[in-house]
Amino acid sequence: MKIPYYPGCTLHERAKDFDGSARECAKALGIELEELPIWTCCGAVFPLVTDSVMDILAAVRNLSYASRIGDKVVTLCSFCYHVLKRANHVMREDPDKRDKANLFLRADTKAREAVESYTTEDYAGQVEVVHYIEMLRDVVGFDALAKKVRRPLAGLTVAPYYGCMLLRPKDEMKFDDPEQPTIFEDFLGALGCTPVDFPMKTECCGGFQIVNDEELAIACSQTVVTSAVKRGADVIVTTCPLCRYNLDRKQEEMAERVRGFRTVPVIYFTQLLGLALGLPERDLDFSGNTVDPRPVLAEKVVS
């Protein structure tokens, strides 16, 4: 089975371990992630201005590319998912912005050159934007996924960190209940590990504030990490490269600022999935982690 795939910029540069582990897991599950033949940055942040269409054009153009090869597009990064999904919502619900965006798409000669089946059909939000974990639930099925587990994770206690990009605004994202989400816990249950319910799992890690106000971002992330550790987490799993950066890379500084602070590994959910599917460590690539997860995985997971 082939499913169109939008990797996004970060997964081609800073988060190759996320992209690589996701592709290998998909193969193991009988799915080929078909990378879009042409794509650009999604814009990274959904605009707050409401009287302009320019800031969503990058996302709309990627959605238009995806519509040439399928009826859905899968993505992994929480920011990409957030921007693509909300831009798609605009194209479905706002006829004025839809018309203006299509004026720009008609002038896109690069798409005509790169996509064999390119047509001049207007884009109206016909593609479904799907997060990888939704693909696991709806295409593979969590019950079927559980039957494919080759390496038991029963000894591992895992904190599922949703962050803020997947869940809000509720009426546009329609990912899960923004206050009491369960999809991550259901996924972890299928892998056989024990999910930790911790109160900061849907709070912000500080996001892009790490650029403008590092102290604020570290304080936000330290609150999330401490909350997970207090509930007994062996590892934290995330769907977002920026969340992984904030929660993982800054733990040394957190330890310097907070007496008694205990570090905890932060890994992508696809790395944990690959571990459960029995994939070799070279396909999961833990070399990018500041807090090395391999010691606790070796201790808690039956090889």
Side-chain angles (χ1 to χ4, degrees), residues 5-12 18 39-46 58-60 62-63 73-88 129-131 165-166 173 208 239-242:
Y5 171 50
Y6 174 81
C9 320
T10 307
L11 272 70
H12 262 218
F18 196 12
W39 58 267
T40 62
C41 174
C42 66
V45 177
F46 189 78
V60 172
N62 287 308
L63 293 166
V73 60
V74 170
T75 193
L76 280 157
C77 167
S78 297
F79 276 86
C80 295
Y81 176 71
H82 182 90
V83 173
L84 292 176
K85 191 110 182 227
R86 296 191 68 185
N88 213 34
V129 180
V130 178
H131 194 272
M165 290 290 108
L166 294 176
M173 298 306 293
F208 285 121
T239 67
C240 178
L242 183 55

Side-chain angles (χ1 to χ4, degrees), residues 186-202:
D186 294 341
F187 161 73
L188 295 174
L191 302 189
C193 44
T194 303
V196 171
D197 184 21
F198 66 114
M200 301 303 292
K201 66 182 180 182
T202 65

